[in-house]
Amino acid sequence: MNSNASALRLMSDLKTMKQQPPDGVSASPLGDENLYVWAGTVFGPDDTPWEGGIFSMRLTFTEQYPDKPPRVRFTSEMFHPNIYPDGTLCMDLIQDNWSPIYSVCSILIAIRSLLTDPNCASPANPEAAHLYQTDRKQYSRKVRRVAEKSVGG
Protein backbone atom coordinates (compact mmCIF):
# COMPACT_ATOMS: atom_id res chain seq x y z
CA MET A 1 0.00 0.00 0.00
CA ASN A 2 1.49 3.38 -0.91
CA SER A 3 1.17 6.67 0.87
CA ASN A 4 -1.45 7.86 -1.62
CA ALA A 5 -3.80 5.11 -0.57
CA SER A 6 -3.45 6.00 3.09
CA ALA A 7 -3.90 9.71 2.36
CA LEU A 8 -7.03 8.99 0.32
CA ARG A 9 -8.39 6.84 3.13
CA LEU A 10 -7.68 9.58 5.70
CA MET A 11 -9.42 12.16 3.51
CA SER A 12 -12.38 9.84 3.22
CA ASP A 13 -12.43 9.39 7.04
CA LEU A 14 -12.34 13.16 7.43
CA LYS A 15 -15.21 13.62 5.00
CA THR A 16 -17.29 11.11 6.98
CA MET A 17 -16.52 12.92 10.25
CA LYS A 18 -17.70 16.19 8.74
CA GLN A 19 -20.81 14.88 6.97
CA GLN A 20 -22.01 12.54 9.72
CA PRO A 21 -20.43 13.80 12.92
CA PRO A 22 -20.61 11.03 15.49
CA ASP A 23 -22.04 11.65 18.93
CA GLY A 24 -19.62 12.88 21.56
CA VAL A 25 -16.41 12.79 19.55
CA SER A 26 -14.62 14.89 16.97
CA ALA A 27 -11.31 14.84 15.13
CA SER A 28 -9.48 16.48 12.27
CA PRO A 29 -5.92 16.79 10.97
CA LEU A 30 -3.76 19.21 12.95
CA GLY A 31 -2.59 21.13 9.90
CA ASP A 32 -3.41 21.41 6.23
CA GLU A 33 -0.04 19.99 5.22
CA ASN A 34 -0.06 16.94 7.44
CA LEU A 35 -2.90 14.46 7.08
CA TYR A 36 -1.14 11.97 9.34
CA VAL A 37 -1.46 13.72 12.69
CA TRP A 38 -4.96 14.41 13.97
CA ALA A 39 -6.29 16.14 17.03
CA GLY A 40 -9.19 14.25 18.52
CA THR A 41 -11.69 15.14 21.22
CA VAL A 42 -13.90 12.89 23.29
CA PHE A 43 -16.68 14.42 25.36
CA GLY A 44 -17.37 12.65 28.65
CA PRO A 45 -20.58 10.61 28.40
CA ASP A 46 -23.59 11.95 30.33
CA ASP A 47 -24.58 10.34 33.61
CA THR A 48 -21.06 9.05 34.23
CA PRO A 49 -18.18 10.47 36.29
CA TRP A 50 -16.70 11.59 32.93
CA GLU A 51 -19.73 13.84 32.22
CA GLY A 52 -18.84 17.39 31.17
CA GLY A 53 -15.21 16.50 30.50
CA ILE A 54 -13.55 17.38 27.21
CA PHE A 55 -10.59 15.08 26.62
CA SER A 56 -8.04 15.83 23.94
CA MET A 57 -5.88 13.31 22.18
CA ARG A 58 -3.50 13.02 19.30
CA LEU A 59 -3.86 10.32 16.68
CA THR A 60 -0.74 9.56 14.68
CA PHE A 61 -1.19 7.59 11.46
CA THR A 62 1.48 5.99 9.29
CA GLU A 63 1.50 5.45 5.56
CA GLN A 64 0.42 1.87 6.33
CA TYR A 65 -3.02 3.10 7.48
CA PRO A 66 -5.59 1.51 7.33
CA ASP A 67 -3.58 -1.73 7.39
CA LYS A 68 -1.92 -0.53 10.59
CA PRO A 69 -3.77 1.33 13.37
CA PRO A 70 -2.87 4.85 14.51
CA ARG A 71 -1.10 5.55 17.78
CA VAL A 72 -3.46 7.26 20.18
CA ARG A 73 -2.23 9.41 23.02
CA PHE A 74 -4.31 11.59 25.30
CA THR A 75 -2.94 15.10 25.77
CA SER A 76 -5.42 15.75 28.59
CA GLU A 77 -4.65 14.39 32.02
CA MET A 78 -6.45 11.05 32.38
CA PHE A 79 -7.18 8.58 35.14
CA HIS A 80 -8.30 5.31 33.56
CA PRO A 81 -7.31 1.63 33.76
CA ASN A 82 -6.41 1.52 30.05
CA ILE A 83 -4.44 4.76 29.75
CA TYR A 84 -0.76 4.91 30.67
CA PRO A 85 0.46 7.81 32.83
CA ASP A 86 1.95 9.45 29.70
CA GLY A 87 -1.49 9.41 28.04
CA THR A 88 -0.88 6.49 25.68
CA LEU A 89 -4.00 4.42 25.16
CA CYS A 90 -3.88 0.66 25.57
CA MET A 91 -6.79 -0.88 23.70
CA ASP A 92 -7.27 -4.13 21.76
CA LEU A 93 -9.00 -2.36 18.91
CA ILE A 94 -5.87 -0.35 18.06
CA GLN A 95 -3.51 -3.22 18.86
CA ASP A 96 -4.20 -6.96 18.44
CA ASN A 97 -7.76 -6.67 17.19
CA TRP A 98 -7.14 -3.99 14.58
CA SER A 99 -8.84 -4.32 11.23
CA PRO A 100 -8.73 -1.98 8.20
CA ILE A 101 -12.52 -1.71 8.37
CA TYR A 102 -12.12 0.62 11.37
CA SER A 103 -12.11 4.33 10.62
CA VAL A 104 -11.17 7.40 12.65
CA CYS A 105 -14.84 7.62 13.51
CA SER A 106 -15.14 4.07 14.84
CA ILE A 107 -11.87 4.39 16.79
CA LEU A 108 -13.15 7.49 18.59
CA ILE A 109 -16.52 5.94 19.34
CA ALA A 110 -14.76 2.87 20.78
CA ILE A 111 -12.50 5.09 22.92
CA ARG A 112 -15.51 6.95 24.25
CA SER A 113 -17.24 3.75 25.31
CA LEU A 114 -13.99 2.47 26.82
CA LEU A 115 -14.03 5.47 29.17
CA THR A 116 -17.05 4.10 31.00
CA ASP A 117 -16.37 0.43 30.36
CA PRO A 118 -12.68 -0.17 31.04
CA ASN A 119 -10.88 -3.45 30.51
CA CYS A 120 -9.17 -4.21 33.82
CA ALA A 121 -7.66 -7.48 32.61
CA SER A 122 -4.53 -5.86 31.25
CA PRO A 123 -4.34 -2.47 32.92
CA ALA A 124 -2.05 0.30 31.70
CA ASN A 125 -2.72 2.11 34.97
CA PRO A 126 -2.77 -0.49 37.79
CA GLU A 127 -3.87 2.09 40.38
CA ALA A 128 -6.92 3.06 38.33
CA ALA A 129 -7.77 -0.57 37.62
CA HIS A 130 -7.47 -1.50 41.29
CA LEU A 131 -9.67 1.40 42.40
CA TYR A 132 -12.21 0.68 39.67
CA GLN A 133 -12.51 -2.89 40.95
CA THR A 134 -12.33 -2.28 44.69
CA ASP A 135 -13.54 1.26 45.45
CA ARG A 136 -15.77 2.57 42.69
CA LYS A 137 -16.65 5.69 44.70
CA GLN A 138 -13.03 6.75 45.08
CA TYR A 139 -12.40 5.90 41.42
CA SER A 140 -15.34 8.09 40.37
CA ARG A 141 -14.05 10.96 42.50
CA LYS A 142 -10.68 10.84 40.78
CA VAL A 143 -12.34 10.69 37.37
CA ARG A 144 -14.55 13.69 38.28
CA ARG A 145 -11.44 15.71 39.17
CA VAL A 146 -9.83 14.84 35.84
CA ALA A 147 -13.07 15.73 34.00
CA GLU A 148 -13.28 19.10 35.75
CA LYS A 149 -9.63 19.84 35.01
CA SER A 150 -10.16 19.03 31.34
CA VAL A 151 -12.45 22.03 30.96
CA GLY A 152 -10.23 24.30 33.02
CA GLY A 153 -12.24 23.77 36.20
Side-chain angles (χ1 to χ4, degrees):
M1 188 173 259
N2 64 19
S3 61
N4 280 352
S6 61
L8 285 170
R9 172 59 190 270
L10 284 166
M11 288 191 293
S12 147
D13 282 5
L14 179 60
K15 196 171 155 191
T16 306
M17 290 288 296
K18 285 185 168 155
Q19 289 175 345
Q20 305 153 347
D23 233 24
V25 296
S26 69
S28 59
L30 271 178
D32 298 333
E33 292 76 53
N34 189 352
L35 255 185
Y36 291 92
V37 182
W38 289 40
T41 308
V42 173
F43 300 93
D46 291 348
D47 304 318
T48 74
W50 301 94
E51 184 174 5
I54 302 172
F55 307 99
S56 313
M57 68 189 81
R58 182 161 293 172
L59 296 92
T60 310
F61 299 87
T62 64
E63 296 190 348
Q64 282 85 50
Y65 181 77
D67 291 334
K68 294 255 166 39
R71 283 203 322 273
V72 179
R73 190 171 164 196
F74 278 90
T75 49
S76 302
E77 183 190 325
M78 297 300 279
F79 184 76
H80 187 280
N82 305 115
I83 299 168
Y84 288 99
D86 73 351
T88 304
L89 177 68
C90 174
M91 181 167 134
D92 280 350
L93 179 97
I94 55 170
Q95 278 142 349
D96 309 335
N97 295 342
W98 175 254
S99 157
I101 60 165
Y102 295 124
S103 64
V104 173
C105 203
S106 53
I107 295 167
L108 289 166
I109 290 167
I111 292 172
R112 189 171 189 242
S113 72
L114 183 73
L115 283 184
T116 50
D117 191 15
N119 170 9
C120 293
S122 56
N125 180 333
E127 184 202 353
H130 181 74
L131 269 184
Y132 182 82
Q133 289 168 310
T134 60
D135 187 349
R136 195 64 65 87
K137 234 173 160 165
Q138 179 62 20
Y139 174 82
S140 294
R141 272 203 296 272
K142 284 197 171 230
V143 167
R144 287 287 331 131
R145 273 206 294 276
V146 167
E148 284 157 15
K149 254 189 201 161
S150 73
V151 287

